[in-house]
């Protein structure tokens, strides 16, 4: 076998068997090796940022790494922004980057660049394989490092001559076993401190992040809230938030600092469960870097190096025992908005989604300003998962929807997108069409970088920023998403009323494969709101 | 004034007055400052790779830096691939990257990342400004470093608080003058060695690169060729090649190693003028890393740290004097192909372009396999400039055409594109429409990553690569470039015969503003050619 064949076989043996790729010449032996490993499913993306975002969505939902196969430094560079989001989501990804043959690198030919430096900015582990005899153990190591916990991007740089040279694939005993990270501990002192804070009788809250935003950790948080009356928050941008009827009602912290301050006003105790002390997304002149109110004690139950599930379960046991009465875990009541009628607005689109969202849906949310009504409209829907823009780098939504749909082919996937953010990685629509993925894209088409219009009002004042507002006006010329979607092979429909949108959404739920619904909605920035600073 | 106003004013004062941007919140004070500096023209790009590619095209044609304004690490990451191409082209660019306020960075909020590491991979100079009082001198330094020679990317990282804090703009005496790099020297010994080689009577050639691919250096090369009979070559991917009737006929070295070997067979002397010793673009099993034939003596007249124009002029003077007869500089004869008729093929498209290309055109060529007939078809056209994919990173063509058109608004610009390569940075079409740029995009639409089909044949053999060829088949689903162009605001036309293409091209030459012509041509990879290895 050559190194390329050993690589693909090793990854597939380790259950890393979906590969999002945009390959080039230096990866051609790896592409050729697909013939030898039928288990590996390779998915072509027309741009590398689609591949990395898809691997992010896949890893978030599959709970195991997918892999990417990228072409040298420039291919990796194109993937970095969505790897940045994946790093913030702690998504497991095995990132294979081809490189020139070792003997070729000193020639400094046109595609030579510093792959290691690029990889280092997003990877939790990076290795270059120097001999085809090492491919099996290096790839095994990459899978282990990616898997975590916590999940991370493990980058394996594979020179072309390592791919094309023959080696004996080591039999299993000669390859290091897949070493999962050692079980992590929790701090009984931190549990005791948190229990005391939450039982103080003063206003208290739990802030959930990372692994506490879904699964057993979140169920423990629901018991804690039931026993103590503590409010449940999660970070502004959760990687995967379980929500809906029967799940605990966890509120995402707002984006704008003034809204966070209003939300947390009066709070006396804040317990962090794998979450950071609340800080503004951006700095503003004169704004504090801490958003918890003065007089609020912040304690840390567990961080990402600890077992937050064990810590929350211990805390739940403690407060339930101390409650000395049966405790009912906090749970969201079922309920949906009525079907909206009349004008198509970001609010009526949200209501229609709330009215129709099927059980077990996966919602990928990159709506930015237009999405502010979604949380309330969908809170009581049947259980579903909500995936967000963890790293703040636009262009995550459509690719992540591709990966989520690959991981969960039987679940309906919704990509809720802004027009501005859709344009970073629109090529993802083509992969949805090619793979027949069941993704409904709802495009909040407001003709604006609305979030920047708001921020520019803050920076320049209501009278200033004339040329700036012209600069960031994306309505000249208008983007035609119907044409763009069709150009990429995805059926599309434009709707102009709430009724038309509801009908289009119902139609999309019946049809297999992708669909884009273009919703012309007014920009929320046209309201004279000046956010951010207080 | 605040730091943002000083920054924009300083750049404009130094004639860096076109800014390609996709800004975010941390750059909003810089965007607001546009009101105060009317001279600065800001151009919005819907994706950062368009901004960096446009700055590359602008710098290649303007001969001075444009600037980019990008949003934090992820914005820079999205721009890196085309900065990689710009670095290989030695294009001057002032790259301004916004960052969080200094006090905000320790919070490790979602958009925090290692900007310096990213910048280092493409920049010849990187600085972070720490005080608004330093903005004027740092920006001045950035312009000087970008300008070179040689041109480079100078990255200035500007934290948000540096932008929003006030400072006194230093009066000119307090700001360092714009320090151009010291004049560079040349080596008389290298000139003597080259003169002896070229006058040996044995087969000899000059290989031109960098600054020798246009302007006075190239005119000196034409005199050398006239005096000695040396052939003139340039690198496979010149940044800006002057060519056409009356210019010296300089042949680009072929891409595939076997073609280079055939081209250079029998050569006994090769003189490098700001060019690298010919090497394969990629390594292949068993292929030598050196493409000059055995027995060919390679000498270096000048490298990028030296004054290649002075060296070529000295060499020209030397060989012309020694010739002891009047020397006529080598010059291409005028001549165009006849207008093609019949089937639309990559060859007939090339002939039509050759039949119609206007004087003073700028051709941005990212055709890859479909472009192989272009050089011959356009050799005798009126003088024009030819800009190519210097760094091998796809997605350079359309953005570079945007920048070239901004730099030279009175010249017709042609973007010759493959369908695969167009899809990396297609958002460039929108900026063409928004700015009304006179760019005609000719899309060689063969439904294939044809270059990879060829490379996969090499890697997997004619019988292998079944799943690989399926993977890289981009015809499922077919991309509809008519719809895509219209979705981005650019008029488009699909042509099916050589006559239709010629008519569409003539129409586009008459109309101002952008136009896309979609040419369905057969893939050259369908011919059973196995390239690369010999």
């Amino acid at each position: 076998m050559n190194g390329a064949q050993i690589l693909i076989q090793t990854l597939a043996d380790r259950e890393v068997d979906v590969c999002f790729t945009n390959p080039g010449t230096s990866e051609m032996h790896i592409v050729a090796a697909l013939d030898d490993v039928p288990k590996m499913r390779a998915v072509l993306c027309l741009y590398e940022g689609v591949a990395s975002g898809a691997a992010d969505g896949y890893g978030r939902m599959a709970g195991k790494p997918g892999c990417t196969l990228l072409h040298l430094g420039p291919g990796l560079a194109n993937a970095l922004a969505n790897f940045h989001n994946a790093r913030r989501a702690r998504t497991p990804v095995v990132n294979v980057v081809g490189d020139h043959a070792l003997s070729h690198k000193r020639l400094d030919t046109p595609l030579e660049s510093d792959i290691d430096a690029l990889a280092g900015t997003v990877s939790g582990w990076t290795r270059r394989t120097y001999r085809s005899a090492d491919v099996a153990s290096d790839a095994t190591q990459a899978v282990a490092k990616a898997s975590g916990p916590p999940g991370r991007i493990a980058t394996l740089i594979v020179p072309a001559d390592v791919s094309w040279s023959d080696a004996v694939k080591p039999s299993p005993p000669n390859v290091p076993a897949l070493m999962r990270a050692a079980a992590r501990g929790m701090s009984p002192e931190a549990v005791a401190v948190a229990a005391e804070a939450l039982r103080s009788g003063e206003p208290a809250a739990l802030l959930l992040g990372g692994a506490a935003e879904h699964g057993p950790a979140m169920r423990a948080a629901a018991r804690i809230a039931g026993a103590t009356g503590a409010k449940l928050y999660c970070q502004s941008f959760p990687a995967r938030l379980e929500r809906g009827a029967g799940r605990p009602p966890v509120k995402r912290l707002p984006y704008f600092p003034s809204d966070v301050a209003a939300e947390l006003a009066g709070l006396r105790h804040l317990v962090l469960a794998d979450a950071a002390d609340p800080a503004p997304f951006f700095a503003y002149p004169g704004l504090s870097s801490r958003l918890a109110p003065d007089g609020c004690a912040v304690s840390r139950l567990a961080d990402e190096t600890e077992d937050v599930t064990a810590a929350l379960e211990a805390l739940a046991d403690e407060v339930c025992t101390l409650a000395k009465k049966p405790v009912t875990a906090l749970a969201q009541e079922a309920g949906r908005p009525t079907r909206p009628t009349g004008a198509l607005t970001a609010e009526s689109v949200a209501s229609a989604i709330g009215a129709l969202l099927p059980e077990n849906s996966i919602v990928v949310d990159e709506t930015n300003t237009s999405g502010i009504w979604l949380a309330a409209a969908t809170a009581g829907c049947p259980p579903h998962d909500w995936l967000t823009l963890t790293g703040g780098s636009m262009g995550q939504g459509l690719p992540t929807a591709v990966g989520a749909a690959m991981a969960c082919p039987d679940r309906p996937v919704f990509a809720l997108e802004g027009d501005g953010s859709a344009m970073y990685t629109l090529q993802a629509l083509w992969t949805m069409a090619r793979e027949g993925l069941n993704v409904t894209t709802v495009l909040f088409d407001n003709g604006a970088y609305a979030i920047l219009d708001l921020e520019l009002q803050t920076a320049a004042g209501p009278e200033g920023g004339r040329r700036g507002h012209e600069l960031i006006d994306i309505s000249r010329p208008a983007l035609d998403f119907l044409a763009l979607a069709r150009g990429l092979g995805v059926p599309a429909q434009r709707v102009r009323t709430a009724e038309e949108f509801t009908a289009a959404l119902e139609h999309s739920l019946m049809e297999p494969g992708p669909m884009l619904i273009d919703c012309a909605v007014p920009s929320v920035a046209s309201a004279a709101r000046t956010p951010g600073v207080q």
Side-chain angles (χ1 to χ4, degrees), chain A residues 60 87-91 150-151 184 207-215 217-218 233-242 272-276 302-304 306 308-309 312 386 390:
Chain A
R60 291 194 204 186
R87 176 173 78 91
R88 290 295 181 186
R90 295 195 214 130
T91 306
R184 294 173 301 171
L207 178 57
L208 310 176
E213 291 162 346
H214 60 267
M218 172 180 264
Y233 293 107
C234 72
Q235 300 186 122
S236 301
F237 293 96
R240 178 183 175 184
L241 180 65
E242 284 186 25
L272 308 176
D274 198 0
D303 69 15
E304 78 280 6
E306 297 170 297
V308 69
T309 305
L312 281 166
W386 204 273
T390 44

Side-chain angles (χ1 to χ4, degrees), chain A residues 277-502:
Chain A
D277 198 355
F281 209 82
F282 291 103
Y284 297 88
L287 179 73
S288 164
S289 65
R290 188 168 182 272
L291 293 178
D294 288 344
C296 176
V298 178
S299 64
R300 189 176 299 279
L301 175 66
D303 69 15
E304 78 280 6
T305 68
E306 297 170 297
D307 186 340
V308 69
T309 305
L312 281 166
E313 287 176 344
L315 178 58
D317 291 346
E318 171 93 359
V319 296
C320 289
T321 304
L322 292 172
K324 295 179 183 160
K325 55 175 185 182
V327 168
T328 307
L330 195 64
Q332 172 69 48
E333 285 182 24
R336 293 180 181 271
T338 53
R339 292 179 176 221
T341 56
L344 192 72
T345 63
E347 190 171 5
S348 63
V349 170
S351 296
I353 291 170
L356 295 176
L357 193 74
E359 183 166 0
N360 232 5
S361 292
I362 301 167
V363 180
V364 179
D365 175 3
E366 193 175 34
T367 50
N368 310 313
T369 57
S370 293
I372 58 174
W373 289 277
L374 286 164
T378 57
C381 287
H384 57 274
D385 287 292
W386 204 273
L387 280 52
T388 80
L389 183 58
T390 44
S393 177
M394 298 290 170
Q396 169 266 342
L398 298 173
T400 297
V402 166
M406 289 289 303
C408 305
D410 299 328
R411 297 178 62 175
V413 177
F414 296 85
L416 311 184
E417 266 294 341
D419 49 350
S421 49
M423 287 308 300
Y424 290 79
T425 49
L426 194 71
Q427 302 95 331
L429 293 176
W430 183 83
T431 299
M432 292 180 195
R434 180 181 179 90
E435 301 292 334
L437 301 178
N438 195 18
V439 179
T440 302
T441 298
V442 177
L443 198 93
F444 290 80
D445 190 354
N446 62 14
Y449 281 161
I451 186 77
L452 292 188
D453 279 324
L454 294 171
E455 298 283 7
L456 184 56
Q457 284 175 33
T458 302
E463 304 302 315
R466 184 188 58 78
R467 290 186 75 212
H469 283 291
E470 283 175 19
L471 174 68
I472 60 178
D473 172 10
I474 62 169
S475 70
R476 298 174 299 109
L479 290 158
D480 179 348
F481 281 93
L482 233 55
L484 290 168
R486 290 173 182 168
L488 294 164
V490 169
Q493 187 177 348
R494 181 168 294 140
V495 295
R496 304 206 174 275
T497 64
E499 290 87 343
E500 281 180 22
F501 174 67
T502 308

Side-chain angles (χ1 to χ4, degrees), chain A residues 7 93 128 143 189 211 231 278 293 295 324 333 337 350 397 399-400 405 493 519:
Chain A
L7 172 68
V93 180
R128 182 185 301 273
V143 176
E189 290 91 343
K231 286 189 179 172
K324 295 179 183 160
E333 285 182 24
T400 297
Q493 187 177 348
C519 304

